[in-house]
């Protein structure tokens, strides 16, 4: 099922639901590298050409819609649930940091990068959103990986210095504070520089919602009530967990009636 969501900057994005079977793939069988997992999650964003902050918002919505609102953080007093809605409010929207520069008749427009940093420093060149020469505009994110590499090889040396200064000028916009430290709980604050690999790592962690044992328990328990396993596999995790809770309550009520 496809869903739509409007980002804070007014851009409408189309997304594909992450189903229970996809969670299984993501957690147990998919490429275990951060790059592989990020690419797997990006495959559910049907609207292309989004920068990493727009993708972050889209993935938060997808997580809310398909898995749930709460993520678990560790503290000195044990695991603590934190609302994604609360974290989202702290992001502060999607600022417009577009900057265009002209070099030898070509106009280069810089923005938030469209690639996450997953350990490859070349990602920084994805700050280049478009290249316009005359009446033709090249959208770099639309190019294949090979085509992007060819573009990078032809970039003028002056542009690298401009990018370095752009990173300095826009530094405050690349820093996110999703959660400050909480008084009374030793919870690590959630702060990121979006250009650092820890940002991609946090996004991946949002979708690690079930262990191998938990996945098997959900399927085993619900198979006693719902014989069609494919129905469960093609439901969202949020729906499957709702079924699990309803079935658990049903069993508890039956046991209470028998005991009474």
């Amino acid at each position: 099922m496809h869903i739509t969501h409007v980002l804070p900057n007014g851009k409408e994005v189309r997304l594909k639901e992450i189903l229970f079977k996809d969670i299984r793939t993501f957690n147990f069988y998919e490429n275990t590298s951060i790059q592989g997992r990020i690419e797997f999650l990006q495959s559910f964003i049907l609207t292309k050409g989004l920068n990493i902050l727009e993708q972050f918002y889209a993935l938060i919505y997808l997580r809310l819609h398909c898995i749930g609102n709460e993520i678990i953080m560790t503290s000195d007093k044990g695991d603590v649930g934190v609302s994604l809605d609360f974290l989202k409010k702290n992001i502060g929207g999607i600022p417009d940091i577009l900057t265009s520069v002209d070099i030898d008749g070509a106009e280069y427009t810089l923005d938030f990068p469209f690639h996450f940093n997953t350990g490859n420093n070349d990602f920084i060149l994805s700050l280049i959103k478009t290249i316009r020469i005359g009446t033709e505009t090249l959208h770099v994110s639309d190019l294949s990986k090979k085509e992007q590499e060819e573009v990078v090889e032809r970039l003028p040396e002056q542009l690298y210095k401009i990018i370095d200064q752009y990173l300095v000028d826009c530094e405050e916009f690349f820093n996110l504070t999703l959660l400050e430290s909480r008084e009374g709980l030793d919870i690590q604050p959630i702060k990121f520089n979006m250009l650092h690999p820890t940002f991609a790592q946090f996004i991946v962690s949002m979708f690690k919602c079930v262990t191998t044992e938990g996945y098997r328990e959900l399927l085993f328990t619900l198979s006693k009530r719902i014989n069609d396993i494919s129905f469960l596999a093609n439901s969202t995790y949020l729906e499957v967990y709702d079924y699990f809770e309803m079935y658990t309550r049903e069993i508890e009520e039956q046991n209470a009636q028998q005991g009474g």
Side-chain angles (χ1 to χ4, degrees), residues 38-72:
I38 284 290
E39 289 177 356
F40 182 79
L41 293 174
Q42 287 173 323
S43 70
F44 294 89
I45 303 176
L46 302 179
T47 300
K48 303 306 178 185
L50 303 181
N51 63 51
I52 60 173
L53 186 52
E54 291 170 334
Q55 291 180 58
F56 184 41
Y57 266 105
L59 290 171
I60 286 178
Y61 178 76
L62 201 57
R63 210 283 188 182
L64 287 166
H65 179 82
C66 300
I67 297 175
N69 185 29
E70 190 175 78
I71 62 173
I72 302 301

Side-chain angles (χ1 to χ4, degrees), residues 48-160:
K48 303 306 178 185
L50 303 181
N51 63 51
I52 60 173
L53 186 52
E54 291 170 334
Q55 291 180 58
F56 184 41
Y57 266 105
L59 290 171
I60 286 178
Y61 178 76
L62 201 57
R63 210 283 188 182
L64 287 166
H65 179 82
C66 300
I67 297 175
N69 185 29
E70 190 175 78
I71 62 173
I72 302 301
M73 305 294 296
T74 56
S75 76
D76 62 336
K77 294 183 173 26
D79 290 344
V80 177
V82 179
S83 163
L84 271 177
D85 275 329
F86 176 76
L87 298 184
K88 188 171 66 171
K89 289 177 183 177
N90 291 334
I91 299 175
I94 302 175
D96 182 358
I97 61 170
L98 285 174
T99 297
S100 296
V101 294
D102 189 278
I103 302 175
D104 296 331
E107 183 182 76
Y108 299 85
T109 298
L110 308 180
D111 194 7
F112 288 102
F114 54 84
H115 285 322
F116 290 95
N117 182 355
T118 57
N120 184 353
N121 290 333
D122 289 346
F123 89 97
I124 204 68
L125 294 174
S126 71
L127 285 161
I128 304 168
K129 181 180 177 71
T130 60
I131 302 173
R132 185 166 66 86
I133 302 175
T135 58
E136 294 188 14
T137 299
L138 185 68
H139 293 268
V140 181
S141 64
D142 292 343
L143 304 177
S144 68
K145 184 176 180 180
K146 183 178 179 180
E147 289 171 332
Q148 288 178 17
E149 290 173 351
E150 291 174 352
V151 167
V152 168
E153 290 176 357
R154 293 180 172 87
L155 293 176
E157 289 186 13
Q158 306 99 297
L159 185 60
Y160 289 91

